[in-house]
Amino acid sequence: MRVTAAVLWTAAVLVGLQKSASSPDDFVDRSSQNLSSVPTDLPQTTEFLDLSRNYIRQLHNGDFQKTTHLRFLNVSWNNLEEIDPQTFLDTPLLEHLDLSHNNLKNLSGQQYLLHTVNLLVLNLAFNRFLTMTLGSEFSSLVKLERLTVGAKNISVGDFKNIAKMKLRTLTLLLEDGLYYEAGSLEDVHAQRLQIAFGHNQKIYRNLTADALSLFAEVEMMNMINGYKDLSKQLRETVKIHTTSFYLTNITIKWQDLTEYVNVALNTTLKHVGVSDVHVMHPPRFATEVIKTSQVISFTASQAVVTSFFFSQEALYNFFISMPVESVAITDTPIIHMTCPKSQSPIRQLDFSFGALSDFIFSSAVGKNVVECQNLRNLKNLILVGNSLKKLEILSQRFRYMSSLQHLDLSVNSIGYDQSSQCIWPASITNINLSSNSLTESVFQCLPNGTQILDLQNNQISVVPQSIFKLRNLSTLNLNANRLRDLPVCDTFPTLHKLLLRSNSLHAPSVNILESCPELHILDVSFNPFTCICTLRGFIKLAINSEKNNNNQSGIELLNWPQGYYCTYPEDVRNSTLRDISIPEVSCSIGLLVVAILVPAGTLIIFIVILCHCLDVPWYTGMIWQWTRAKHRARMQQARPEDLVGLEFHAFVSYSQHDVDWVRNSLLPNLEGPAGGLRICHHEKDFVPGKTIIENIISCVEKCRRSVFVLSAHFVKSEWCHYELYFATHQRLTLGSDSIVLVLLEPLPQYLIPSKYYQLKSMMNRHTYLEWPQDRAKQRLFWANLRAALQTDLPNAPVTQVQEHWAEERLEEGHRLKG
């Protein structure tokens, strides 16, 4: 006996949905484990329990006392003979109970149902029920939606205990030798009646008559023969209450199928369908279909032919020529569909998941391709999941469908190479091109009147501007493409909804939205956002969108905030955009410049003022000179032979007007214990009897260095000029550091006579020591001067001089640090 495919499918779907909604720990599968009783080790959290295909003969009170959360229980394909009335006392949440394919014997004695008041689905098919009499306990199943039963005899009154129920589906599994009494189903109130035939069973006329007169939807399953009787009964039935009539899991000859369809089309049925169909003896010649019908839709799914020798054109012509509003042939490997011979009333065609090519509806006449012009009433065309490839060719196929509004070409391999122009009917307002191989060139091949455009899951990286105009576009779906920024709306100014989920947007340019005045719904979730300064504008937009949701103003951002995460930088990776903070000062160049330069400028000005007040530049200069002098002293050690004949450390040249400063300040700080230097000056060391010139030359030659005390009087003294002249020549012999300039008072360059050009040159090239009026600075002045003059003369008291000089350096260093 065939298993009832529809019943098992319904149960499987229900179980699958429920299972997917729960955790794996809630689903327990103990099927096919040779169990003879319900296991005692079931987890307390069990919600879905499968005990099918075991050897359980009885269900006892307490078998499910631990599984108080049980919602689904499958005990099918056991040897179940008895169920204790208290079995389900501990399972108040039970919604689905499958007891099919067992040995239960009495439908009127299922007392356990009194404790299953929340049941939605009950399957009692393929048991040993002789009669269909349902016991009073069935009346307690007030929530029951699906009931599957079967028995040898079905009589009037068998269903009286469910007369008050409003079932969604009643499934009757017919058994061999069935007796059915006319009117037995009058107590049943169900939207849909499923009649599952056994192997090689005939059509029961009384059952079919009751089905057609009592139920809005009737489905006959597992039929192999009896189609002529069914067609005859449909033809002879005057009043048919049924609006939807379906045949499922059938094997039928082409002749019987077309006769059944023609008969059904001539009844008051509104929806006729077949599914899981095996067609035998397919046509070799054309089969006529009636010209008028009250049927609205015809559907066929999962249809196959059992022969390869037939006329495909004859088969396709039959279905495309039906006088109905909707034709759907889905999940069927048809490779072509012809054009109706005359103007068709069909408004919707659905050829999803077939094998249709770009030549659909067309025909070849010689070398020319003739386009279909007899589908002018067609409004909806669905070609999902076929083998369509070229968009420009497809536009030619549909060009004469002047009423076409909705076109679904998704899940194909469609591309557009711009080789030819696209010609669409002007009526198209909704086109679905998702899940294809399209790039941005597709925007050059779109119907101008498009209002809803679905291009998700393609290879579009940019929405080009100025190459197309979609003035009526209100919804644009670009999910799962390669876009890096928001599209400009100049070419579709009425855009209301924009979907850009799962693209490559790092930092959407919010200012682009100014070109979209009508945009109210935006989705840019699940993009790889880079959470840096460029994203601040978008985050602000998103937060404002969240605040404005209550008054429905502005742009509504879908999936905010759950679908918006940072992918960079690493320190905020996987943080939601709402939870991060990007300071404005770090993003504005102006603010950043102000934030850096103002404090820095203030600090510099403060330091300059402080340095000026504390004479820091002067001290720095003097320390620098002292350091250089000591460095030169170390690096330019005089050879002993160079010091032969030298008696003095320095010769002092000064104007007679500055004699007081020389006597009272200069000499005391350089000679004796204070300085340890031997200084030559004219009052003490000029030899009487010699001329002044001779004394000057002699003194300069006996001194290691020459110190010139510069002042306004100095440049007016003729003898000072001679002394400077001879010292300059001595400088050529002893080196560039043999002359030391001491500026006693400010001496502008314009006051120096032209004959002192050498002095001007030296003052421009060399650093000179300035005499400070501030007494606090004078000690450092003397330290620098002594450092410039210090050297080891042959006849000098070296040890005492060096020790004294070291002590003075140490003392001066401590003072400077303090």
Side-chain angles (χ1 to χ4, degrees), residues 376-388:
R376 296 185 183 274
N377 293 312
L378 187 64
K379 290 187 175 182
N380 298 330
L381 178 58
I382 303 172
L383 299 173
V384 179
N386 282 276
S387 299
L388 308 177

Side-chain angles (χ1 to χ4, degrees), residues 208-222:
T208 303
D210 284 352
L212 294 173
S213 62
L214 297 174
F215 300 93
E217 300 178 15
V218 175
E219 180 179 1
M220 292 186 172
M221 303 179 292
N222 307 336

Side-chain angles (χ1 to χ4, degrees), residues 471-524:
R471 295 295 183 184
N472 299 320
L473 187 66
S474 62
T475 300
L476 177 58
N477 188 344
L478 289 169
N479 291 337
N481 276 277
R482 302 175 181 178
L483 273 76
R484 295 184 176 273
D485 206 345
L486 301 174
V488 179
C489 298
D490 292 343
T491 52
F492 31 87
T494 60
L495 188 67
H496 176 80
K497 184 176 184 180
L498 177 60
L499 307 178
L500 297 169
R501 185 175 63 246
S502 301
N503 274 269
S504 299
L505 279 74
H506 295 280
S509 303
V510 179
N511 58 331
I512 292 179
L513 296 178
E514 296 177 0
S515 66
C516 310
E518 300 297 325
L519 185 65
H520 294 293
I521 299 175
L522 176 64
D523 186 359
V524 287

